[in-house]
Amino acid sequence: MKAMRDERGTRRARRFRELLDKQTLILPGAFNALTAMQIERAGFHALYVSGAGMSAARGLPDIGLLSLTEAAYDSATITKAVAIPAIVDADTGFGPPLAVMRTVKEFEAAGLAGMQIEDQEMPKKCGHLPGKRVVPTDDMAGKIRAAADARQDPDFFIIARTDARAIEGLESAVRRARIYIDAGADAIFPEALESADEFRTFARHLAKEGGKAPLVANMTEFGKTPYLSVAEFEELGYRLVLFPVTALRMATQAVDEMLSELKTRGSQRGLLERMYTRTKLYDLLRYADYEQWDRRVHSTEDGHANR
Ligand SMILES: C[C@](O)(C(=O)O)[C@H](CC(=O)O)C(=O)O
Ligand SMILES: [Mg+2]
């Protein structure tokens, strides 16, 4: 079970904690490395590697079909493409506590700053859908303890998500959150709360017990949570705000519109104005840097090719 903790991940985990100490963080979801580069370029300080996003990018629904190997590989592709810290969605941790330990090692080695683990029973589903089930609190606490123990880097950030609101009610979600904090969670993510009031109540109840763990709000679309702004979440006591599938939904809709235009008109000419140009794409991918590196490695001092 020995996976090397890469230096980049260690630095990023620390950076993530430093950022969070200073400000509320918006975490847009990336579903591939290119989106991650866009998120970074747009000036966001951190990003979220969405399970729904990774699954959809592989043509799969978000029902626990993604393997740990795939999630680690996809997230490593993302962390290699950007310098900002990334938090990965680990779903239910990919198994019982011992499997969760391996999950942490793999994700640390993938250069991630932290991960989110949820208390759903397998097969898990999107937290905003009906028919979810949660595991007993002790089982989830065991997974969190395993995750916290398995860290090679004490800064690797562990977010415990509870899906209990929809099944056992808000009070139970608060009770679980306290237990998850005691088990070693660094932050709490109450999934699928249904109003600003619920967010406030949850935060207040947790704070009353002295709980200082930062809280995560999931501002996904077409779900149970009303559309609140980052400023509103902040006011309600939430310091991390996820927009997990927003980019994927926008991009997918744009592709559909393009395909329908292409089908009806037999040309993409009418869409050029709305496209990412070749220049913009190459710029994002740092094409010019690669050309420069190539010139450097292939040239001698007098300018002759060195082949
Ligand atoms: C946050 C989430 O876990 C994700 O995988 O991105 C999903 C998002 C979604 O399906 O809208 C979730 O379960 O909320
Ligand atoms: Mg998910």
Side-chain angles (χ1 to χ4, degrees):
M1 270 220 268
K2 198 159 185 265
M4 291 302 288
R5 172 67 169 147
D6 92 334
E7 272 291 301
R8 292 174 311 128
T10 308
R11 280 198 306 272
R12 288 179 206 195
R14 192 168 316 134
R15 173 118 189 85
F16 182 78
R17 285 175 186 266
E18 285 165 4
L19 285 165
L20 189 59
D21 277 347
K22 282 189 287 201
Q23 65 198 283
T24 294
L25 288 176
I26 308 175
L27 272 68
F31 57 96
N32 60 24
L34 188 68
T35 331
M37 290 167 104
Q38 287 182 276
I39 293 168
E40 179 174 56
R41 176 160 290 203
F44 291 96
H45 299 302
L47 64 82
Y48 179 69
V49 184
S50 155
M54 278 189 286
S55 303
R58 286 176 174 270
L60 297 170
D62 182 22
I63 50 173
L65 301 178
L66 204 67
S67 71
L68 169 61
T69 312
E70 289 168 335
Y73 185 84
D74 291 353
S75 354
T77 308
I78 287 174
T79 64
K80 279 181 235 168
V82 294
I84 56 173
I87 301 291
V88 70
D89 179 355
D91 285 351
T92 58
F94 299 96
L98 284 183
V100 173
M101 293 183 107
R102 173 151 190 253
T103 298
V104 168
K105 290 182 194 290
E106 293 297 329
F107 283 154
E108 284 191 322
L112 291 149
M115 72 175 209
Q116 165 218 307
I117 179 168
E118 72 201 31
D119 58 7
Q120 280 198 56
E121 240 179 60
M122 280 297 269
K124 57 134 295 144
K125 41 166 80 177
C126 161
H128 293 254
L129 294 183
K132 295 188 296 184
R133 290 163 308 157
V134 284
V135 295
T137 309
D138 280 352
D139 292 5
M140 175 64 171
K143 288 189 188 189
I144 297 167
R145 267 193 299 276
D149 270 11
R151 290 186 280 212
Q152 288 179 336
D153 173 8
D155 286 332
F156 187 76
F157 198 77
I158 297 167
I159 300 176
R161 159 172 149 182
T162 178
D163 282 67
R165 154 66 184 90
I167 306 144
E168 303 171 343
L170 197 63
E171 264 178 45
S172 162
V174 174
R175 190 177 47 79
R176 279 176 177 262
R178 283 185 197 130
I179 292 167
Y180 298 168
I181 294 170
D182 287 344
D186 294 303
I188 293 292
F189 171 174
E191 173 67 319
L193 302 194
E194 299 193 5
S195 65
D197 260 3
E198 283 197 359
F199 278 98
R200 184 179 290 112
T201 306
F202 184 89
R204 282 200 180 147
H205 276 71
L206 214 55
K208 236 186 259 163
E209 302 284 312
K212 286 198 185 70
L215 300 180
V216 180
N218 176 12
M219 191 55 273
T220 194
E221 297 82 15
F222 315 112
K224 302 242 183 254
T225 300
Y227 296 100
L228 299 171
S229 69
V230 174
E232 285 167 322
F233 278 122
E234 190 172 42
E235 199 268 319
L236 293 167
Y238 293 74
R239 304 255 311 286
L240 287 152
V241 187
L242 312 180
F243 290 82
V245 198
T246 314
L248 181 123
R249 293 191 220 282
M250 286 297 288
T252 310
Q253 178 66 21
V255 171
D256 255 10
E257 286 169 21
M258 177 285 285
L259 292 171
S260 128
E261 171 112 350
L262 180 59
K263 199 156 190 210
T264 49
R265 293 182 194 255
S267 166
Q268 83 284 51
R269 267 193 302 263
L271 297 171
L272 295 177
E273 288 299 312
R274 290 163 56 195
M275 274 190 199
Y276 221 67
T277 61
R278 182 180 293 269
T279 309
K280 272 178 88 175
L281 183 60
Y282 286 180
D283 187 44
L284 182 62
L285 295 170
R286 303 174 63 198
Y287 198 103
D289 287 351
Y290 285 86
E291 281 188 323
Q292 215 175 38
W293 294 328
D294 195 41
R295 269 198 300 276
R296 210 169 21 186
V297 293
H298 281 137
S299 303
T300 57
E301 266 170 25
D302 57 9
H304 291 298
N306 192 17
R307 280 187 263 206

